[in-house]
Amino acid sequence: MLEKVSILKLITFLYASSLISYVNPSVFLVKDTYFIYSKKAHIIERTIYAITTPNILLAISLNDVTFSVKEIAYLHGGWKIPIYKVNYKGKEIAVYQTLIGAAGTAGLLEETIAIGGKKFIFFGSCGTLEKEISRGHFVIPNEAYRDEGVSYHYAPSSDYIKVKNADKLANVFKKLQVPYVTGKTWTTDALYRETKGNMMLRKQEGCIVVDMECSAITAIAEFRNVDTYQFFYGADTLDGEEWQSRGMLETEKTASELYYLELAFKIAKEI
């Protein structure tokens, strides 16, 4: 009986801790570790596409539209990560390349919020759990399975979290006449531990893709009261007897990636 009571107390303590830990104040904040720049970015849009030329004006051409890019600040991610200001058809947009994974993405997101970011577009590749989702096809996640550690520091414990602004982003895709599918994503920290068993469990729950940041981004956005918009494009697939890369390992930048980047710019003009 004593053992059962002790276990019950432990479970109750762990449950209570999970409910209140995310609302406790931090020991230190971004402002304590980061020098705030005098020129703040109004709207920060994150892209997986890298603009790597630092400290100078340069011209980027997307579908015969040329515009200037200027570095306005930088983030800390183990090394200097520039933030660029882009003027896309009259819309000023800040762009930076985030890190892979929830923890790195969370740190950079916190920093961009601290220097003025209010609206964020996150996009990048995802693994598919349904092979019918072809390479390059767009997915708008509406719920994310929280198989990472970051989100539990920002939101109450739960298996899934509803993805912020999924419906609004879907309406923008419709307006732009861009085909897409919606569904649940499985957000995991462990790229190399996406086991067959876990994949099948997530599929049974309705997940159609797997990613490494979505649930964390959503939890931070709710906690910090900022707007985030997330979409993926299909890459590799886990749906089959063997994993299929479907070109995921190609490192050369392609016309498709420029298309994804310009799509993010078009979305920025709509939100």
Side-chain angles (χ1 to χ4, degrees):
M1 183 65 179
L2 180 61
E3 183 180 354
K4 289 184 179 180
V5 170
S6 299
I7 292 174
L8 180 60
K9 284 183 177 179
L10 175 61
I11 292 173
T12 303
F13 170 76
L14 291 174
Y15 178 69
S17 298
S18 70
L19 287 178
I20 64 173
S21 62
Y22 79 96
V23 299
N24 291 337
S26 302
V27 176
F28 62 90
L29 303 173
V30 176
K31 67 181 179 63
D32 299 317
T33 61
Y34 185 75
F35 293 103
I36 304 301
Y37 291 86
S38 58
K39 291 185 178 180
K40 295 183 179 181
H42 308 293
I43 299 175
I44 308 295
E45 322 285 10
R46 169 276 206 182
T47 140
I48 265 305
Y49 183 80
I51 302 173
T52 57
T53 308
N55 300 319
I56 60 172
L57 289 173
L58 62 152
I60 300 294
S61 179
L62 295 174
N63 296 335
D64 299 322
V65 177
T66 301
F67 50 92
S68 64
V69 179
K70 181 180 180 180
E71 183 179 333
I72 57 172
Y74 69 86
L75 304 171
H76 303 276
W79 60 87
K80 181 179 176 181
I81 298 175
I83 300 177
Y84 295 96
K85 182 173 72 173
V86 176
N87 189 310
Y88 178 74
K89 297 183 179 181
K91 177 80 168 183
E92 287 193 344
I93 303 168
V95 181
Y96 71 94
Q97 181 181 5
T98 195
L99 301 175
I100 294 175
T105 294
L108 298 187
L109 179 55
E110 285 276 28
E111 290 183 12
T112 43
I113 292 170
I115 60 173
K118 300 297 183 185
K119 295 182 180 180
F120 298 79
I121 297 173
F122 284 81
F123 74 93
S125 63
C126 65
T128 73
L129 306 186
E130 294 183 0
K131 57 188 175 184
E132 290 77 15
I133 300 175
S134 59
R135 180 187 177 193
H137 197 88
F138 292 114
V139 178
I140 298 176
N142 53 24
E143 286 189 70
Y145 182 77
R146 301 167 65 185
D147 196 11
E148 40 71 40
V150 171
S151 66
Y152 296 92
H153 296 275
Y154 291 88
S157 296
S158 63
D159 288 339
Y160 283 87
I161 188 169
K162 289 189 178 298
V163 178
K164 195 171 186 178
N165 291 322
D167 291 341
K168 290 182 180 179
L169 184 56
N171 287 333
V172 174
F173 268 67
K174 291 175 184 175
K175 182 177 180 178
L176 297 175
Q177 297 183 328
V178 177
Y180 68 94
V181 296
T182 60
K184 296 179 181 179
T185 184
W186 163 26
T187 304
T188 178
D189 275 334
L191 173 64
Y192 296 109
R193 291 297 296 153
E194 294 173 4
T195 65
K196 190 77 171 179
N198 281 336
M199 187 269 287
M200 294 305 298
L201 284 173
R202 302 290 78 81
K203 281 195 67 172
Q204 290 170 13
E205 293 172 354
C207 291
I208 60 174
V209 294
V210 57
D211 79 287
M212 297 185 68
E213 300 88 14
C214 182
S215 57
I217 291 167
T218 298
I220 295 169
E222 295 288 357
F223 188 83
R224 297 296 184 196
N225 194 28
V226 297
D227 282 319
T228 53
Y229 301 81
Q230 302 185 62
F231 70 91
F232 309 128
Y233 50 90
D236 62 313
T237 185
L238 284 68
D239 187 18
E241 292 300 318
E242 295 182 352
W243 172 71
Q244 300 173 43
S245 69
R246 301 199 301 187
M248 187 189 77
L249 302 179
E250 295 175 4
T251 57
E252 183 178 352
K253 299 300 176 187
T254 66
S256 294
E257 287 181 297
L258 291 176
Y259 172 70
Y260 305 147
L261 179 60
E262 186 172 22
L263 176 58
F265 288 167
K266 289 178 179 178
I267 293 168
K269 286 179 66 67
E270 298 293 331
I271 61 173

